[in-house]
Amino acid sequence: MMLFPNTKYDPVGGAWGLGTVTGLPCAGDVSSLFGATDMAEHADGHNGTDIAAAQGTAILAPCDMLVTDVFSLDVVSTDPLFQQIKDLFGNSVWATIGLSDGTGYRTMFAHMAEPPSVAEGQAVEAGTVLGYVGSTGMSTGPHLHWVLGQLDNRWLARGAGNVEVLDYCDQAQEPAEVFAPTGSGHIVEDKHATAVKAIQDARAALDRALAAMY
């Protein structure tokens, strides 16, 4: 299944010999694959894929999707989970991708240089600027950390159904019909989503247990 037809992954070449990415969300050399144990921080298996790119490179939405969570280092919170996610991923954007069969995926873009350019509850189209490549959070240099997983894995914890996002990029497959769940393309007030988020925030202790799996 191809979720990201505007993303071309070539598994040959690249500075690390892991291939290159062109198109959306940004172009660059793949520096670490999903599941890699190539460094101490990935000892239990990398939960996503890293694309090395220059500081300040625009990160563009690779398909239509709904932004569900935005983490900014400029925002102070007393929620330990919020702080833990910022420590790990810095400025980051989390979103859901809808499929025509009623299913979907959850995705995340991390280590942005600045606070994200989108807001929670915003349905964005492919090509929308989400933020800019940086090295915030647990990072050793400018890169995009891109994660793809199951809808019910809210914080995309390792070992809970994450997949190699590059397997869903353009590799001569038939593209899937994807959309932002609200389909509006504008910031919307989704009262149901707000209520669900409040319940999930109230269950922060369980979420922290999942987050500890990184």
Side-chain angles (χ1 to χ4, degrees):
M1 178 190 300
M2 184 183 7
L3 298 178
F4 311 112
N6 298 309
T7 309
K8 177 66 176 179
Y9 170 55
D10 184 345
V12 178
W16 289 268
L18 301 175
T20 60
V21 170
T22 52
L24 312 180
C26 68
D29 295 332
V30 177
S31 56
S32 184
L33 294 169
F34 170 72
T37 55
D38 53 348
M39 60 180 69
E41 292 83 353
H42 301 165
D44 295 324
H46 197 204
N47 85 316
T49 299
D50 290 345
I51 302 171
Q55 180 88 5
T57 299
I59 300 170
L60 310 176
C63 66
D64 294 354
M65 58 190 191
L66 175 67
V67 176
T68 58
D69 299 275
V70 170
F71 289 89
S72 168
L73 296 182
D74 288 349
V75 177
V76 177
S77 173
T78 58
D79 184 346
L81 173 62
F82 189 97
Q83 188 58 49
Q84 184 178 22
I85 290 177
K86 290 198 299 180
D87 289 344
L88 286 169
F89 302 119
N91 299 311
S92 60
V93 170
W94 306 64
T96 54
I97 301 166
L99 300 182
S100 57
D101 63 2
T103 63
Y105 290 85
R106 185 174 296 277
T107 188
M108 182 262 281
F109 309 84
H111 305 309
M112 295 179 179
E114 304 169 357
S117 304
V118 291
E120 293 180 0
Q122 182 175 352
V124 299
E125 299 178 347
T128 300
V129 175
L130 303 176
Y132 299 89
V133 170
S135 188
T136 56
M138 186 178 291
S139 170
T140 59
H143 73 284
L144 168 64
H145 178 65
W146 187 12
V147 187
L148 184 69
Q150 305 304 309
L151 275 176
D152 58 358
N153 185 10
R154 180 167 176 75
W155 301 120
L156 293 170
R158 182 172 43 229
N162 289 356
V163 294
E164 173 56 75
V165 68
L166 298 177
D167 290 343
Y168 293 77
C169 297
D170 180 11
Q171 295 179 351
Q173 305 174 74
E174 185 69 22
E177 182 183 350
V178 302
F179 58 91
T182 64
S184 68
H186 302 283
I187 297 175
V188 297
E189 181 182 3
D190 187 336
K191 294 183 179 179
H192 175 70
T194 300
V196 170
K197 187 174 187 299
I199 293 172
Q200 290 167 330
D201 290 343
R203 299 174 61 193
L206 293 178
D207 286 335
R208 282 191 287 275
L210 285 177
M213 296 170 62
Y214 287 110

